[in-house]
Amino acid sequence: MCKVTSTPSNLTASQEKTSNSQAALAVSHAASSPREWKPLVGEGVGIIKTVLVMAYSHAALCALCVNVAFDLIIYGLPAYIFLLPFSKPLFRRYMGGLINYTTPIVFNLPMILSGTTFHCDSLELLRECKKTNALMLANHGSRIDWMMGMYVGYIADPFRARVGFVCERVIQYMPLIGWYRKIVCEDVFVDRSFKIDKINISSNLNDFHDDNIERMLFLSPEGVVVDFGERDMQYMQACRDFCKEFGVKPFDYTLTPRYKGQTVLVEHVKNGGKITSVTMAFVRDGKLLNCEMWSKERVIPDIYTLCAGLGGSPVHIFINIEELNFKADSDIKTIMMQDYVRKDNLLREWHGLLKAGKEDEMKSRFIQFKSNFWSAQIIQTLHGLQLFMFAWYFGVLSQLFRGITGMFFFIAISHTLGWLMNGTSMESVPFETSIKAVIIKLFHTKHKQDKKRLAAAVAAKKAK
């Protein structure tokens, strides 16, 4: 059992000064420079390879959407309408079976067939977490933490576990995957207003306790993933300032954790279970993707990043798990900050190994997960067959093929437009890149207008 204690920073005074200046430069650059586009596939990749990899990526998301839509409409909604009012426990056990059936189609194409590998340094602790309720507190270095969580829960070692997530409220409104997470999985959706979130979290946890349904519940205490815009960099700087006020060296690889929610989420393990700290590193071509927050080399992995592994540069995910010990009345703020000092130092250590060309030494500290390859292929095939047989039986094969074709082009166009608008892919779930790009554009326009009005008001006041 590992207990978190205060961990000294690995930074020298010179290194800290350098990171502070680079972070400040990133904030200034974001405020004064136009947005830079991140490559769709990778640096130096030719146009033909980019087109082929992106076509595969769009096809992978199309398959995901079509299969999830079928499972949701044919298997999920009838149970939601007819079974849920009759018996909540029976409904949740039925949905648990549906989740096991659907999960492989979520990660098969983006992960298994794209070459993604998983490595964990404490499989025994992970197995303990799968035996009962568990609260997994992870850093937020990617947009596909949820997919990683589903993969880990699905591994039959020693058995499969139901996985739930604490995620931002907007996710439940995202087409298909968001609806699936809301209706089938009953995730915890929060609004970052503790007064409201406290009630929602407690209600969700108590419902599952009452029905004796156990889950591995994943969340990222950081709450958000910061991109490279002005407001993103300002938030990163605010987190660094908070670290100084708290008396620790500013974090380079993570944001500061939010801690109030944990005072309620701890109820998840009130009848027994583990609370763990999870640190994830995403590595491609020997480089740490979730490197320093202010670095121009930082890549925020999303579904398209994983799919691009088919082109020869798969993502390798390394997971450190440590047990945490606290209760609702503990000093959770201090415990979380101390744990994030450890997380930041651990990511810095791994980054140092990779920069020194010691990827093999880093890998030697972990055990690679089994891939569930054949199980995933069988279920992917079954999903394809059920779609075909359903369409054939009802005489709508041509409509199905036209619908799949339309879905492919809709995904391709919406993602490309979102990438052009915001300069980066943000596909944690399908269609998020385009939806968030529009939202960010609207907020950015409003922000610029507010700044102009403020400047005009100041100028008018000086003129008087």
Side-chain angles (χ1 to χ4, degrees):
M1 182 180 294
C2 302
K3 294 183 179 180
V4 174
T5 57
S6 182
T7 308
S9 173
N10 295 332
L11 282 176
T12 64
S14 175
Q15 289 172 325
E16 183 185 359
K17 184 177 180 181
T18 300
S19 68
N20 286 337
S21 63
Q22 288 176 318
L25 184 62
V27 175
S28 175
H29 178 78
S32 59
S33 303
R35 185 175 291 275
E36 298 175 3
W37 278 277
K38 291 284 183 180
L40 284 169
V41 175
E43 297 287 350
V45 177
I47 183 67
I48 295 177
K49 186 175 181 179
T50 296
V51 170
L52 291 175
V53 170
M54 290 305 297
Y56 168 77
S57 302
H58 297 324
L61 266 80
C62 179
L64 173 60
C65 289
V66 171
N67 284 308
V68 167
F70 185 89
D71 288 350
L72 178 63
I73 295 169
I74 302 301
Y75 301 130
L77 284 179
Y80 188 80
I81 295 170
F82 299 110
L83 187 56
L84 178 59
F86 172 72
S87 172
K88 275 190 177 182
L90 187 58
F91 167 79
R92 287 183 173 132
R93 294 190 186 282
Y94 169 82
M95 287 304 191
L98 179 58
I99 290 169
N100 277 338
Y101 178 58
T102 306
T103 294
I105 67 165
V106 172
F107 61 68
N108 184 39
L109 293 173
M111 291 185 171
I112 292 180
L113 294 186
S114 299
T116 302
T117 61
F118 289 80
H119 310 258
C120 180
D121 67 351
S122 184
L123 283 179
E124 285 304 317
L125 180 54
L126 179 59
R127 289 169 182 145
E128 287 294 317
C129 292
K130 296 177 74 170
K131 290 179 181 178
T132 182
N133 284 319
L135 188 59
M136 320 289 283
L137 308 177
N139 64 309
H140 210 358
S142 80
R143 301 186 194 279
I144 40 84
D145 303 344
W146 69 276
M147 194 175 283
M148 183 281 298
M150 293 185 72
Y151 183 97
V152 169
Y154 186 79
I155 294 172
D157 182 14
F159 47 78
R160 296 190 173 101
R162 179 167 179 158
V163 175
F165 300 92
V166 180
C167 43
E168 59 182 325
R169 184 171 60 91
V170 69
I171 292 296
Q172 65 186 314
Y173 303 118
M174 293 290 176
L176 300 178
I177 298 295
W179 303 339
Y180 183 91
R181 299 302 316 174
K182 170 67 174 178
I183 295 171
V184 176
C185 304
E186 294 185 89
D187 286 339
V188 182
F189 297 97
V190 295
D191 204 19
R192 300 197 185 94
S193 168
F194 182 65
K195 186 176 180 181
I196 299 173
D197 293 341
K198 180 179 180 180
I199 299 170
N200 294 336
I201 293 170
S202 185
S203 175
N204 184 285
L205 298 181
N206 288 332
D207 278 353
F208 274 84
H209 284 151
D210 292 343
D211 293 340
N212 199 27
I213 306 292
E214 296 177 335
R215 295 179 293 177
M216 293 174 66
L217 197 58
F218 279 81
L219 73 147
S220 297
E222 293 162 62
V224 295
V225 174
V226 295
D227 286 294
F228 302 91
E230 179 182 359
R231 299 183 69 167
D232 298 300
M233 292 296 99
Q234 287 174 347
Y235 184 71
M236 175 205 70
Q237 187 59 55
C239 289
R240 294 177 66 85
D241 293 340
F242 181 84
C243 286
K244 293 176 183 177
E245 293 171 8
F246 192 79
V248 299
K249 300 290 181 65
F251 301 153
D252 288 331
Y253 296 83
T254 70
L255 301 172
T256 51
R258 304 179 186 201
Y259 59 90
K260 288 183 179 179
Q262 276 67 269
T263 62
V264 185
L265 284 163
V266 73
E267 294 178 14
H268 182 57
V269 294
K270 66 181 180 181
N271 298 324
K274 301 285 186 183
I275 303 175
T276 59
S277 169
V278 180
T279 308
M280 295 183 289
F282 300 84
V283 179
R284 183 176 64 189
D285 294 332
K287 296 181 179 179
L288 182 66
L289 298 182
N290 56 319
C291 58
E292 296 95 339
M293 306 291 288
W294 35 261
S295 173
K296 289 185 177 181
E297 296 182 0
R298 180 168 67 101
V299 174
I300 307 168
D302 69 347
I303 299 177
Y304 279 88
T305 312
L306 297 178
C307 290
L310 187 76
S313 296
V315 176
H316 306 289
I317 303 173
F318 296 87
I319 305 169
N320 161 264
I321 305 179
E322 299 281 347
E323 188 171 350
L324 290 172
N325 294 279
F326 60 80
K327 298 179 180 179
D329 59 353
S330 301
D331 184 2
I332 295 179
K333 178 180 180 180
T334 298
I335 292 171
M336 294 302 299
M337 285 298 292
Q338 288 176 348
D339 183 48
Y340 264 76
V341 169
R342 184 190 64 83
K343 275 182 163 79
D344 198 66
N345 285 338
L346 188 58
L347 288 166
R348 183 178 293 106
E349 179 186 347
W350 292 345
H351 195 193
L353 288 172
L354 293 170
K355 286 192 289 187
K358 298 180 179 179
E359 185 176 2
D360 289 340
E361 180 181 334
M362 179 176 167
K363 284 183 178 180
S364 68
R365 304 179 183 184
F366 298 83
I367 300 172
Q368 186 172 338
F369 289 6
K370 298 175 183 178
S371 68
N372 296 297
F373 181 84
W374 288 113
S375 172
Q377 306 320 308
I378 290 170
I379 291 180
Q380 187 85 52
T381 302
L382 286 174
H383 272 83
L385 285 174
Q386 73 178 12
L387 271 169
F388 176 82
M389 294 301 294
F390 184 88
W392 172 78
Y393 182 81
F394 288 100
V396 291
L397 273 175
S398 60
Q399 290 91 329
L400 174 65
F401 292 135
R402 284 200 297 270
I404 291 173
T405 302
M407 177 71 76
F408 173 85
F409 283 105
F410 183 74
I411 288 171
I413 292 170
S414 66
H415 179 266
T416 303
L417 290 175
W419 175 74
L420 289 170
M421 289 175 66
N422 199 50
T424 187
S425 179
M426 299 178 287
E427 210 81 355
S428 63
V429 295
F431 312 111
E432 189 168 2
T433 299
S434 56
I435 292 172
K436 282 198 170 177
V438 171
I439 293 172
I440 290 170
K441 189 72 173 177
L442 292 173
F443 272 103
H444 181 67
T445 301
K446 183 177 183 301
H447 181 60
K448 287 178 68 176
Q449 291 173 344
D450 289 344
K451 287 177 70 175
K452 286 181 179 179
R453 281 196 291 267
L454 179 62
V458 170
K461 189 175 180 179
K462 285 183 178 179
K464 291 180 181 180

